[in-house]
Amino acid sequence: KEAALAKFLVKAADSNLINAAHDVSDGGAAVALAEMAMASGVGLTAELAGNGGAVENLFGERPGHVFVATTKPDQVVNLAREFGLTAN
């Protein structure tokens, strides 16, 4: 799956479908989203869904998961599916 994810990210970037991407590893979702916001100079609002508690959902490290910034979410989701990936 990680090879498919890498190929998807390259294709999405080459096709101008994504503006930014960040893995959800070191520090989890909270750190990834904060770093993306700081790098772009904009704020964000996020709703994180999950079965765990707030700490696990915000700081749990999930290798193989990536946040992307896009203005074309439907196209990104369709492309992810072409690579056999789940996107939401």
Side-chain angles (χ1 to χ4, degrees):
K1 276 216 173 208
E2 289 183 9
L5 177 59
K7 290 176 183 176
F8 156 75
L9 290 169
V10 169
K11 178 71 172 178
D14 287 347
S15 301
N16 294 316
L17 295 179
I18 60 174
N19 303 323
H22 197 300
D23 66 304
V24 185
S25 56
D26 260 354
V31 171
L33 291 172
E35 288 178 349
M36 287 180 77
M38 288 185 297
S40 67
V42 298
L44 65 93
T45 301
E47 182 177 320
L48 300 175
N51 296 329
V55 172
E56 180 182 338
N57 287 332
L58 289 172
F59 300 104
E61 297 178 357
R62 292 174 176 83
H65 289 77
V66 175
F67 286 119
V68 298
T70 184
T71 57
K72 302 169 185 172
D74 293 336
Q75 290 175 284
V76 171
V77 169
N78 289 337
L79 182 63
R81 289 181 180 150
E82 288 179 26
F83 283 87
L85 302 170
T86 303
N88 51 358

